[in-house]
Amino acid sequence: MTVPAMAGDAATVHPELWPKGSSPLTPDPALESRVQALLAKMSVADKVGQMIQADIKYVTPDDVRKYRLGSILAGGNSKPNGQQTATATQWQQLSDVFYRASMDTSGGGLAIPVLFGIDAVHGHNNLVGSTLFPQNSALGATRDPQLIREIGEATAKELRASGINWTFAPTLTVPQDVRWGRSYEGYSQNPALVAQYASAVVEGLEGKPGTPQFLDAEHVIATAKHFVGDGGTRDGKDQGDAEVSEAVLRDVHAAGYPPAIKAGVQVVMVSFSSWNGVKMAGNKALITDVLKGRMGFDGIVLGDWNAHGQVPGCTNEDCPVAYNAGLDMLEAPDSWKGLYENTLAEVKAGVIPMSRVDDAVTRILRVKMRLDMFEAGPPSTNPMVTRSAQVIGSPAHRALARRAVRESLVLLKNNDGVLPIDPRKHILVAGDGADNISKQNGGWTLTWQGTGLTNANFPGATSIWAGLSAQVRAAGGSAELSVDGDYEQKPDVAIVVFGEDPYAEFQGDLPNLAYRPGNDHDLDLLRRLHGQGVPVVAVFLTGRPLWMNREINAADAFVVAWLPGSEGEGIADVLLRTRDDRIAHDFHGKLAYAWPRSAVQIPVAAAARGEHPQFPYGFGLTYADRGNTGPLSEDAGIALSAVRAGVYFTHGKPAQGFTLRLTGANGATMNVAATPAATTDGSLRIGAFDYKAQEDARSLSWSGSNAASVALVAPASLDVERETNGDVLLVTTLRVDAVSPGETSIGVGCGTGCSGEVPVGRQLAALPRGQWLRLGMPLKCFRDAGANMSRLDRPFEWSSHAGEQVAITDVSLGTVADRTLACPAHGDKP
């Protein structure tokens, strides 16, 4: 197509060159009249309350009653009663309590029902026992819009059955660099496919406009997100800057919005990210002039989690710029009260015009009335709630999810026809993903990061091993599970299931596309089995393409299973023949993202330069394809052993392969799988903490009479002797809130009887309280204290006593620090 010229600087917007559209809903004078009549009765305070969304972790029903808040949300780690996971009954009860608070007029307020939003991004993924569908990057491989529509319908029913009426989905991003940690939330790198899916998923969630099913009791409000350009940021950085032309922003990154609006989407969520240096939450030209004006969107424009606080001149508690730019509702999970007070004052002072307030509240009320919220009654009276036991995780929904798994599998290699497998044989199933339902789901699954879970948290779900085992045994064969690949009887074939560990958002950002650089455990397993003469089928669990040439070479067949969700048996459906030796299901999936040729090749950018990926967009073998895949180049383009060297803890999470370990005052140790957590004697507690983003730090507090410690344990010994000689620092980004009167030390470990501990209590006491800073400790201090710096197994350990309180977000090697601690002289005390 010919791209019209767009004059002006890089961030200039030309609305007239964007697609023109309008709401598909026939104007309803009666509804609009009701909106205006209610608006006329509302006080300024009532209106401001409608424009704010608070998280259930930080707001109570009494707050909703008092401040007349328009909506609440449940963030990834926010559950009823502060639990890690929650059942349908608990969600239903919570929804009812908040609803009744919003309708309580005993204090003189108006009865305006509160909206309840949640991130249901691959099914109702916050609900124990729900049907969990493959993540979006998998669904892109199916090329099946009808399947996407049906998944939307099933998700809506399970949401309604738990008392929730609004999902923050679909994600219509078009990822161009899969180093981005949210890539699996995008259907494809291809804007045309995203646009095709946009209308299908919106209609599935909301129902088709113009029909009686639209926003009826079985459907929910959908949210198109994140407007716009979140998948085009430089280097794939989450919440980064999309340095692209307006034409690319329009034609690639905004491709899903016109069809979503045409399908009747009621909410658009604005991105954290920027476009050519301008934060989207403050971009009036794109929000008001393009989205609302040119595209004709008449629903709610919602901000992301405290994203308004990143707009220049704003804080989480104060941002008139975002409202004036066109946001109708700000997501202020923990900052809502300050935002309410400041916004109310700014409206009264005219900083935010009343016309802007009335427009925002009109849109909010319009959506609530379209959902029939004023007449529907408490969430518990919804027909889906009364049948929740038959709706949530129903056989029909699980069958749909299993079909989605089958359709999404992509076959990259099948040498010598290893697949399909005769189920009457003896089959070894190996790898840490084989019997791990959490891993096969990925992030945004029961918890924000999808971590700290066991198979017991997924009633009704089926692991990949369980699915394979059931079909093999039913056919008369035998199956053996061994994570490490050891076996009692030599197998006729081995299926090795491995891949990415769960992550969400910025926690998944990568510097390159190498798979587990410096950790060859999975590769070694594949090579060991192959070297024993066992045909090997690799099943790769991943949210995105990664450089896997060595693993592909080591396997006879290579299947990309993506993040398939709760119905692992869908993989057995395709990999195994039937008991009567037929092929029941062939491979259907085609790559929705090109596969990289090296760890540093970004396929979309490479294609623009005329370079070829390892496997192009649309690639995918079937059983009818003949010919073997020859050895692929194993040149990663980088030194794999050097990747992310010296990074031990980042964004509040151990670096890949590292373990966070607590040792109590009683000497008992425990590995931290999820927060909050505590030692068995309660002498050390760890919790999630917000620094620059949601839960990107960990808080630590000590109690008890003896020392307790927190340590980072490396997956293999580390040699930092050269860095020690080069005056490198161990840099900890932290906040000190209280220092113990007892001894405090920072140390490293190098095996039994080999460690170096440096007393730091006096120096910590001199640091400012409650202030984030980079604290550096020269590596030489640890060597001087007795550590062998060539074989560290614990590159960081903090030991203290009762009274100490710190928060830590990053631990790494570096040369720059805000404060550098001095090595103590021999005999010094803390």
Side-chain angles (χ1 to χ4, degrees):
M1 64 175 290
T2 301
V3 177
M6 293 181 173
D9 63 45
T12 298
V13 177
H14 303 79
E16 70 278 7
L17 298 180
W18 286 69
K20 185 173 178 57
S22 61
S23 170
L25 302 176
T26 303
D28 185 342
L31 185 149
E32 296 299 330
S33 178
R34 287 181 63 201
V35 168
Q36 293 307 310
L38 181 55
L39 189 69
K41 297 177 183 178
M42 296 173 71
S43 67
V44 175
D46 290 335
K47 294 176 181 178
V48 170
Q50 290 295 305
M51 297 164 66
I52 291 174
Q53 184 178 68
D55 186 272
I56 61 171
K57 188 187 292 187
Y58 306 101
V59 70
T60 66
D62 283 341
D63 291 328
V64 169
R65 184 179 292 108
K66 177 179 178 181
Y67 294 94
R68 318 309 294 176
L69 300 182
S71 72
I72 56 173
L73 82 148
N77 283 336
S78 298
K79 305 294 186 295
N81 305 316
Q83 299 176 177
Q84 182 185 34
T85 59
T87 64
T89 299
Q90 291 166 328
W91 283 115
Q92 293 161 4
Q93 292 171 345
L94 185 71
S95 298
D96 262 14
V97 170
F98 274 107
Y99 170 83
R100 294 186 192 282
S102 70
M103 301 300 283
D104 186 348
T105 60
S106 60
L110 296 170
I112 303 177
V114 65
L115 280 165
F116 195 158
I118 201 166
D119 287 278
V121 295
H122 67 119
H124 190 354
N125 44 265
N126 287 279
L127 173 64
V128 170
S130 65
T131 309
L132 299 170
F133 296 93
Q135 298 274 10
N136 286 352
S137 59
L139 297 179
T142 69
R143 304 298 203 275
D144 190 342
Q146 179 57 31
L147 172 66
I148 305 308
R149 180 177 284 102
E150 292 175 26
I151 288 174
E153 292 172 351
T155 300
K157 289 178 181 178
E158 297 202 14
L159 278 163
R160 284 291 207 168
S162 68
I164 296 174
N165 54 21
W166 180 9
T167 175
F168 302 141
T171 302
L172 300 181
T173 184
V174 188
Q176 301 296 284
D177 185 336
V178 294
R179 289 178 293 178
W180 185 36
R182 303 194 76 158
S183 292
Y184 66 78
E185 297 185 50
Y187 294 113
S188 177
Q189 70 182 47
N190 183 353
L193 182 58
V194 174
Q196 186 181 34
Y197 275 18
S199 57
V201 66
V202 168
E203 288 186 359
L205 290 166
E206 293 189 343
K208 188 175 179 61
T211 70
Q213 290 74 41
F214 182 70
L215 293 181
D216 67 4
E218 296 187 5
H219 292 87
V220 296
I221 293 170
T223 305
K225 67 181 189 183
H226 303 89
F227 188 83
V228 61
D230 55 342
T233 60
R234 182 176 182 178
D235 298 328
K237 294 295 183 184
D238 191 42
Q239 304 181 18
D241 190 15
E243 299 173 353
V244 300
S245 69
E246 186 181 3
V248 169
L249 188 72
R250 177 196 65 197
D251 298 339
V252 175
H253 299 289
Y257 291 92
I261 293 169
K262 188 175 181 180
V265 72
Q266 292 298 289
V267 181
V268 172
M269 182 183 288
V270 172
S271 179
F272 272 108
S273 60
S274 304
W275 175 55
N276 288 329
V278 179
K279 277 290 179 183
M280 277 304 310
N283 196 320
K284 183 176 182 179
L286 286 171
I287 296 170
T288 297
D289 300 341
V290 170
L291 178 61
K292 291 182 171 181
R294 182 69 175 177
M295 292 184 177
F297 177 65
D298 67 355
I300 301 168
V301 178
L302 173 70
D304 207 338
W305 183 284
N306 276 334
H308 55 274
Q310 297 183 9
V311 175
C314 291
T315 67
N316 290 352
E317 296 185 343
D318 189 10
C319 194
V321 174
Y323 284 121
N324 288 337
L327 271 72
D328 304 311
M329 183 183 291
L330 296 189
E331 197 171 281
D334 56 350
S335 58
W336 65 268
K337 188 172 291 185
L339 181 65
Y340 172 88
E341 293 169 350
N342 287 319
T343 302
L344 181 59
E346 286 155 354
V347 172
K348 290 180 177 179
V351 176
I352 303 173
M354 187 56 68
S355 59
R356 174 75 274 273
V357 173
D358 286 346
D359 172 58
V361 179
T362 293
R363 290 167 175 271
I364 294 166
L365 297 178
R366 177 185 294 138
V367 170
K368 290 183 176 184
M369 290 183 184
R370 283 174 173 170
L371 192 61
D372 201 30
M373 291 185 68
F374 287 84
E375 292 75 34
S380 60
T381 62
N382 184 286
M384 292 294 100
V385 171
T386 60
R387 297 195 299 111
S388 61
Q390 292 77 46
V391 173
I392 296 169
S394 71
H397 291 175
R398 292 194 182 278
L400 177 65
R402 184 167 165 179
R403 171 188 153 204
V405 175
R406 291 196 298 264
E407 289 193 29
S408 64
L409 301 179
V410 177
L411 181 62
L412 296 184
K413 178 182 181 180
N414 190 23
N415 283 12
D416 300 322
V418 171
L419 291 173
I421 297 169
D422 184 346
R424 298 166 294 183
K425 302 290 188 180
H426 179 60
I427 300 171
L428 173 69
V429 183
D432 66 357
D435 193 29
N436 191 330
I437 299 174
S438 173
K439 185 160 182 154
Q440 72 191 42
N441 273 280
W444 290 113
T445 304
L446 299 187
T447 65
W448 178 37
Q449 295 294 316
T451 55
L453 304 166
T454 68
N455 286 1
N457 295 119
F458 299 92
T462 306
S463 73
I464 295 169
W465 152 251
L468 288 165
S469 175
Q471 292 195 22
V472 168
R473 291 194 168 100
S478 59
E480 183 178 349
L481 174 66
S482 172
V483 171
D484 294 326
D486 298 327
Y487 47 80
E488 297 179 4
Q489 174 189 343
K490 186 173 181 180
D492 296 300
V493 63
I495 300 173
V496 181
V497 187
F498 65 100
E500 290 191 289
D501 292 324
Y503 58 84
E505 299 192 43
F506 56 87
Q507 302 277 25
D509 283 1
L510 294 175
N512 55 66
L513 295 180
Y515 171 65
R516 289 194 168 176
N519 181 353
D520 289 345
H521 178 270
D522 297 320
L523 176 63
D524 292 342
L525 174 57
L526 294 170
R527 286 175 171 170
R528 174 160 54 88
L529 289 168
H530 193 272
Q532 294 168 352
V534 178
V536 176
V537 176
V539 176
F540 186 45
L541 302 175
T542 183
R544 54 190 160 193
L546 294 171
W547 185 73
M548 303 291 300
N549 284 14
R550 298 182 303 164
E551 288 81 3
I552 294 172
N553 285 341
D556 297 284
F558 195 94
V559 178
V560 185
W562 309 105
L563 298 172
S566 62
E567 305 312 301
E569 193 164 0
I571 292 170
D573 292 342
V574 181
L575 266 58
L576 303 178
R577 291 181 178 272
T578 63
R579 69 177 71 187
D580 55 357
D581 204 33
R582 294 182 298 104
I583 295 175
H585 300 282
D586 201 344
F587 280 92
H588 176 94
K590 305 297 179 184
L591 290 178
Y593 295 88
W595 207 270
R597 185 171 292 275
S598 73
V600 293
Q601 185 192 61
I602 309 304
V604 177
R609 298 191 298 268
E611 300 174 10
H612 297 292
Q614 188 65 69
F615 299 102
Y617 173 88
F619 182 86
L621 301 174
T622 68
Y623 285 138
D625 292 311
R626 295 289 182 262
N628 289 346
T629 300
L632 307 178
S633 169
E634 297 194 0
D635 180 5
I638 53 173
L640 294 177
S641 60
V643 176
R644 295 183 67 80
V647 178
Y648 308 140
F649 193 75
T650 179
H651 298 304
K653 185 178 181 181
Q656 187 167 293
F658 280 74
T659 300
L660 187 64
R661 180 173 297 168
L662 304 184
T663 301
N666 61 359
T669 63
M670 61 165 291
N671 294 338
V672 178
T675 54
T679 56
T680 55
D681 61 359
S683 58
L684 178 55
R685 298 182 181 277
I686 185 170
F689 195 86
D690 290 355
Y691 169 41
K692 290 186 175 179
Q694 185 184 4
E695 298 190 3
D696 63 342
R698 294 293 178 263
S699 61
L700 296 155
S701 59
W702 280 258
S703 60
S705 56
N706 295 320
S709 63
V710 57
L712 290 166
V713 181
S717 63
L718 305 171
D719 182 356
V720 296
E721 186 66 35
R722 191 175 72 171
E723 288 85 350
T724 303
N725 293 333
D727 292 327
V728 171
L729 308 171
L730 179 66
V731 180
T732 306
T733 303
L734 82 171
R735 193 179 94 172
V736 177
D737 293 316
V739 177
S740 171
E743 182 179 348
T744 298
S745 66
I746 300 175
V748 297
C750 40
T752 304
C754 174
S755 63
E757 296 181 7
V758 180
V760 296
R762 288 179 180 174
Q763 298 185 76
L764 286 182
L767 295 177
R769 299 293 183 269
Q771 178 179 315
W772 286 94
L773 52 81
R774 293 168 298 175
L775 186 68
M777 171 64 74
L779 293 179
K780 288 180 179 179
C781 298
F782 303 121
R783 185 176 61 187
D784 294 344
N788 183 338
M789 306 304 286
S790 67
R791 57 181 183 92
L792 298 184
D793 60 5
R794 300 188 311 280
F796 174 82
E797 189 164 13
W798 187 296
S799 177
S800 192
H801 293 72
E804 189 110 317
Q805 293 183 9
V806 299
I808 298 175
T809 184
D810 287 286
V811 180
S812 62
L813 300 184
T815 57
V816 178
D818 300 310
R819 300 285 183 92
T820 299
L821 302 179
C823 297
H826 182 70
D828 275 4
K829 299 297 182 184

